[in-house]
Amino acid sequence: MKRMLLLAVALCTAWGVTAQPRLHVGPNEPIGEPVGINKGRVAWIHNPGVATWDGETGFWVEERWNDQQKADAMVRQAVMTLAGKKSPKAAWKALFKNFNQRHGKGNVGYKEGEKIAIKLNMNNAITHRETIELNSSPYVTLALLRSLIGDGGVREEDVIVCEPSRAITDSIYNRCHREFPEVVFIDNLGGEGRLKCEYYPEQLKYSVDNGKMARGLAKCIVDSEYLINSALLKTHKGPGVTLTAKNWYGATDINLMWRMNAHNGISPDKRHGKPSYKTMVDWIGHKDLGQKCLLFLIDGTYGSRDVNGAPAPKWQKAPFNGEWCCSIIVSQDPLACDVVGMDLLIHEWPEFGSFNYCDEYLREAAMIPHPVTGVTYDPERDGEPLTAPLGLMEHADKNRNYTKLDVVYVKQ
């Protein structure tokens, strides 16, 4: 039997056949209910040349390897495509109004004094100094600020750029603070222009007994009226992917050193896919996390096959053709946003072992109030469980086509 298995693997390799990961949901099998101004819409903006690092020289964050004008154009196009508007100003206005209507606040937009926190993904940064590893892009972050403030009319002092569990590096702080000195920066360390994060204890109750998982939430997250989840396009050993859902873990009072933290209910059962409670569903459904998020953004200007280290390798398959991914993905639907990012990663590197059953948290969230596990998801443990799907998920077919998800691809 072992010899037959080895022979099969050898033949697949020789014939160019790549094993596909085992997933809970097949292609073009939509589950859940769409969310957002244009329900279930995902804007995928692709601008080749926005990221050009050679993979060897200096740091990927250096100006010579990144095009700020292209990053600006990508963010503006993303909000226009998502909202279906002809200008970024009209798009932001529509996104705010739709969000407030869906949250019972009426047909109103952003008001001066309302705080908006942008949650970055700086998971590989534990000091303010620069690192070769892939974290949030300074160029995408500045582009987001330029559009939110310049197009969206949001006051600088109402915007918070935060990474409660890690450090905001100099490449982001210096580039953004120079242009927007009134924007507040909050990280786990504090100092050098950043405020040190404070936390409210026992904000995350979890739907089941979740052991030593962090329960405190950053005050800047809880006290904000709106959130923007600015995640990264990366794989992750264990969970399979690290996209917007996992990015919420960084809003908790976890330890700066990742080995000190629990990771219960995050990784799927890789061997046989036995259904189990998923912590990420609680994060998506929590009133002060996913349910307060105006915009979900996945920064794939580089994208990476590994969660640690420098971004690598370049993307070989169409439409990337040996260059970096050079993409951003945005949506108001958290499940739709993550499944499109997941599909991009799986299509590029199907052999990555941790992809097996990585879509379970999406299936669970899409099937509320009757998920496969039978778990009653009540993130606040207030006796008012979630009663409706948290969004729409659907995997693409081999030609990257969707049937119910409204994925709009724009190449600039």
Side-chain angles (χ1 to χ4, degrees):
M1 180 63 71
K2 185 175 181 181
R3 287 183 179 179
M4 292 177 64
L5 178 60
L6 290 174
L7 177 60
V9 171
L11 288 173
C12 286
T13 302
W15 294 338
V17 178
T18 304
Q20 295 296 312
R22 297 184 295 276
L23 300 172
H24 282 291
V25 181
N28 298 147
E29 296 178 2
I31 302 174
E33 295 296 331
V35 175
I37 184 170
N38 290 298
K39 293 185 181 297
R41 176 168 294 184
V42 180
W44 169 14
I45 312 302
H46 180 208
N47 195 330
V50 68
T52 60
W53 184 47
D54 64 5
E56 298 177 356
T57 310
F59 292 93
W60 66 268
V61 295
E62 295 176 33
E63 285 195 30
R64 57 178 164 165
W65 307 123
N66 300 272
D67 190 319
Q68 185 65 62
Q69 288 186 335
K70 288 191 173 186
D72 293 346
M74 292 175 77
V75 170
R76 290 193 167 107
Q77 183 62 59
V79 295
M80 288 190 293
T81 300
L82 183 61
K85 301 297 180 181
K86 294 182 179 180
S87 74
K89 180 178 180 179
W92 280 113
K93 183 177 180 180
L95 291 173
F96 274 109
K97 282 193 170 184
N98 175 266
F99 180 87
N100 285 327
Q101 285 177 329
R102 287 188 285 115
H103 287 76
K105 299 177 182 179
N107 187 30
V108 297
Y110 152 81
K111 297 178 181 178
E112 287 191 2
E114 292 180 329
K115 301 299 182 183
I116 303 173
I118 300 171
K119 167 64 176 70
L120 302 180
N121 185 338
M122 304 298 296
N123 193 51
N124 289 318
I126 59 173
T127 75
H128 292 154
R129 304 291 77 81
E130 210 45 67
T131 172
I132 194 68
E133 296 183 292
L134 184 60
N135 295 297
S136 289
S137 164
Y139 306 90
V140 172
T141 304
L142 179 57
L144 183 57
L145 289 176
R146 283 178 172 176
S147 190
L148 183 64
I149 295 168
D151 302 322
V154 176
R155 295 192 311 171
E156 284 188 43
E157 55 266 46
D158 286 341
V159 180
I160 301 163
V161 177
C162 68
E163 180 49 294
S165 65
R166 297 291 186 266
I168 296 176
T169 52
D170 290 336
S171 61
I172 289 182
Y173 175 77
N174 292 338
R175 191 171 191 83
C176 297
H177 178 70
R178 186 164 53 240
E179 189 166 328
F180 298 107
E182 300 302 317
V183 168
V184 177
F185 290 80
I186 298 176
D187 70 5
N188 190 265
L189 303 179
E192 300 182 290
R194 295 80 155 171
L195 299 179
K196 184 175 176 59
C197 190
E198 298 179 347
Y199 306 88
Y200 290 118
E202 296 299 315
Q203 296 295 298
L204 277 164
K205 305 295 186 181
Y206 297 108
S207 299
V208 302
D209 181 0
N210 211 12
K212 296 182 178 180
M213 285 292 290
R215 295 175 178 269
L217 281 179
K219 289 185 177 182
C220 60
I221 294 286
V222 175
D223 293 343
S224 290
E225 196 74 20
Y226 310 93
L227 303 177
I228 294 177
N229 185 326
S230 185
L232 288 170
L233 187 64
K234 293 198 293 186
T235 68
H236 198 301
K237 290 181 180 178
V241 295
T242 178
L243 302 167
T244 68
K246 194 172 184 303
N247 195 33
W248 290 129
Y249 196 24
T252 69
D253 58 350
I254 55 176
N255 194 288
L256 182 67
M257 308 308 294
W258 70 270
R259 294 182 184 277
M260 302 291 290
N261 301 300
H263 294 81
N264 304 341
I266 295 178
S267 296
D269 183 327
K270 298 299 182 185
R271 180 168 295 180
H272 49 67
K274 183 179 179 180
S276 61
Y277 158 76
K278 287 289 166 280
T279 297
M280 288 190 282
V281 179
D282 272 339
W283 294 337
I284 298 170
H286 195 281
K287 65 181 181 64
D288 288 315
L289 294 175
Q291 295 309 294
K292 201 160 62 176
C293 192
L294 171 73
L295 185 70
F296 297 89
L297 183 153
I298 300 174
D299 171 10
T301 48
Y302 281 90
S304 188
R305 187 178 55 194
D306 301 304
V307 67
N308 302 117
K314 290 186 177 181
W315 294 53
Q316 299 303 312
K317 298 176 182 177
F320 314 113
N321 302 321
E323 301 299 332
W324 295 110
C325 188
C326 293
S327 299
I328 62 171
I329 300 162
V330 301
S331 185
Q332 286 191 307
D333 187 318
L335 308 190
C337 193
D338 270 21
V339 79
V340 171
M342 183 181 291
D343 283 352
L344 283 178
L345 292 168
I346 290 174
H347 187 267
E348 184 68 19
W349 299 299
E351 71 281 357
F352 184 72
S354 286
F355 283 151
N356 287 335
Y357 305 115
C358 66
D359 61 349
E360 184 179 11
Y361 75 94
L362 296 174
R363 182 180 69 168
E364 282 284 282
M367 293 184 68
I368 291 173
H370 304 295
V372 172
T373 59
V375 171
T376 299
Y377 284 96
D378 183 1
E380 296 88 28
R381 284 283 188 105
D382 58 3
E384 298 183 7
L386 302 174
T387 58
L390 297 178
L392 174 69
M393 76 154 294
E394 177 190 4
H395 288 299
D397 63 19
K398 63 181 181 179
N399 296 315
R400 287 189 170 140
N401 293 322
Y402 296 89
T403 60
K404 193 171 180 181
L405 272 188
D406 181 19
V407 180
V408 183
Y409 170 79
V410 178
K411 185 174 182 179
Q412 292 182 310

